[in-house]
Amino acid sequence: MTGSNGTRAADGRITVLLVEDDEGDAVLVEALLEEVGADVDLRRVRTLREAVPLVPRADCVLLDLGLPDTTGLDGLNRLLALSSPAAIIVLTGLDDERQGERSVAAGAEDFLVKGQVDGSALLRGIRYAVGRKHAEETHRQLRDEQLLASEKTRLERGLLPSPILERGQGLGLEFRYQPGGSRMLLGGDFFDVVRTPDGTLQAIVGDVCGHGPDEAALGVFLRIAWRALVLADQEPSRVLRTLHEILEHERHQPGLFTTACMVTVSPDRRWARIYLAGHPEPMLLVGDRVVELPRDRAGLPLGVLPDSTWSGLDVPLPPGWSLLLYTDGLVEGRVTGDTERLGSERLIELIGRVTRTRPDWRSHPEGLLDELISRVKELNGGELDDDMAVLLISDEG
């Protein structure tokens, strides 16, 4: 029954750490458990200092409140402060029952009065305490997961806007957003689309560097600020400048930056003005052939230099055009059997193959996006590692 190395016992056995400095009481505990053939591995130490490093490897701790290096509830509180799922049962004397009750109130699973328990009661108390502790830990983990899911849902609602674009206005929109890999963490990718009263279409995709709730919250903040500025009829270059200033004040760590691609489509849908703020991936014009739009006036990412400026590049649009805007998560995946990333050039080739096999893609753009992303994942050999936001904006005539 007695273990010696303090590691967890084999499956089906309970690892018990006895913290007791009195030799007689320690021998009694060992004898009671031996008497009933208890399926436990027992290790004994005499001080709290010896116990602390062993608690994380125990299922249950039997703790005497009167030790050479601690008295009263101090030792219990120190063990409860450890990040360990071990159940703690307090051992008290006959005149310390009220102290035992206080121990349970403080967080112990139970208390036992020395000399008033037999082997069966002791083993039952250990098993019940371990069972309760496991149930509490499971409930805590479930609660944490529910809170995380709620936070994730709220942030995703901010990252996945309802575009201000009515159907039947000659423009079509499809979009996809996905956090990277199997982590299910939120990233900093964001996007938005707004059609202003004069018929101008404004769109943005952006990527806050990093992953997680802080970056996602910053992405939500920037997206909402962008929408407000666009609806306030601010000049696009001034919009980027304001987002840059907001990022400098709101980022949670110095040096954090954001790349962005912003596009303005004229009311007659014949030209687009492109603004690139360090965005590494070009905007693509998808049609009979896929064309990478120029990056001649690309500026620095938002949040890099205080005096950064951005200027737009005008691009004519052919009839029936489709614009693909995306963050680098779409092309950061590797190609199976190759050391290189997918990259924009191979993405263009892939889009060409997909459009050739789907002659109806103009009337079903959602199928184009789904198949494109599916093929990118296949080439990567599984889920993409980075977050991804993809917009497909089309002239429907």
Side-chain angles (χ1 to χ4, degrees), residues 69-324:
D69 54 351
T70 182
T71 57
L73 299 183
D74 291 343
L76 172 64
N77 290 330
R78 284 182 60 186
L79 295 189
L80 290 173
L82 300 175
S83 56
S84 167
I88 301 177
I89 298 176
V90 166
L91 298 176
T92 69
L94 288 173
D95 57 348
D96 289 330
E97 287 194 52
R98 295 202 53 170
Q99 190 79 316
E101 293 172 358
R102 295 190 190 100
S103 300
V104 172
E109 294 297 325
D110 202 352
F111 73 93
L112 299 176
V113 179
K114 296 178 181 179
Q116 289 192 349
V117 291
D118 57 17
S120 296
L122 177 58
L123 179 58
R124 185 166 57 250
I126 292 172
R127 287 175 173 168
Y128 287 176
V130 171
R132 283 193 299 271
K133 188 65 176 180
H134 284 175
E136 291 169 3
E137 184 66 15
T138 299
H139 179 71
R140 183 193 64 77
Q141 291 176 356
L142 178 61
R143 185 177 65 250
D144 289 348
E145 289 174 1
Q146 290 172 336
L147 290 173
L148 181 61
S150 297
E151 177 182 299
K152 181 174 181 289
T153 298
R154 288 194 298 273
L155 289 173
E156 278 187 340
R157 175 63 188 87
L159 290 167
L160 302 178
S162 298
I164 303 179
L165 178 65
E166 296 180 9
R167 297 288 182 180
Q169 294 182 327
L171 289 167
L173 173 67
E174 289 293 330
F175 57 84
R176 300 291 183 271
Y177 171 82
Q178 180 179 304
S182 58
R183 301 183 311 269
M184 293 307 293
L185 291 177
L186 290 170
D189 289 14
F190 63 92
F191 68 91
D192 205 350
V193 178
V194 170
R195 191 173 191 186
T196 55
D198 67 353
T200 301
L201 181 76
Q202 306 274 12
I204 189 172
V205 293
D207 183 359
V208 180
C209 65
H211 304 278
D214 289 335
E215 288 76 11
L218 187 54
V220 171
F221 194 88
L222 292 174
R223 184 195 69 75
I224 293 173
W226 178 86
R227 176 175 285 202
L229 291 166
V230 167
L231 291 175
D233 201 26
Q234 291 289 309
E235 280 291 323
S237 58
R238 182 57 191 167
V239 168
L240 287 175
R241 179 65 197 174
T242 304
L243 292 182
H244 171 80
E245 294 170 356
I246 290 172
L247 176 61
E248 286 186 314
H249 287 284
E250 297 296 332
R251 56 191 173 190
H252 54 279
Q253 59 184 21
L256 190 147
F257 64 88
T258 297
T259 66
C261 172
M262 190 170 68
V263 60
T264 298
V265 178
S266 64
D268 61 9
R269 303 195 294 279
R270 293 182 180 178
W271 61 268
R273 180 168 292 166
I274 307 167
Y275 295 83
L276 295 175
H279 202 67
E281 305 309 328
M283 190 166 66
L284 303 181
L285 183 62
V286 183
D288 296 332
R289 64 189 186 94
V290 183
V291 179
E292 181 177 304
L293 296 184
R295 298 175 50 84
D296 299 357
R297 299 186 184 177
L300 292 173
L302 307 176
V304 174
L305 293 179
D307 57 350
S308 296
T309 59
W310 296 268
S311 58
L313 176 66
D314 290 342
V315 176
L317 299 176
W321 54 263
S322 291
L323 293 175
L324 186 73

Side-chain angles (χ1 to χ4, degrees), residues 14-29:
I14 300 173
T15 303
V16 177
L17 177 65
L18 173 62
V19 190
E20 174 63 74
D21 67 318
D22 187 278
E23 292 294 334
D25 288 339
V27 169
L28 177 61
V29 169

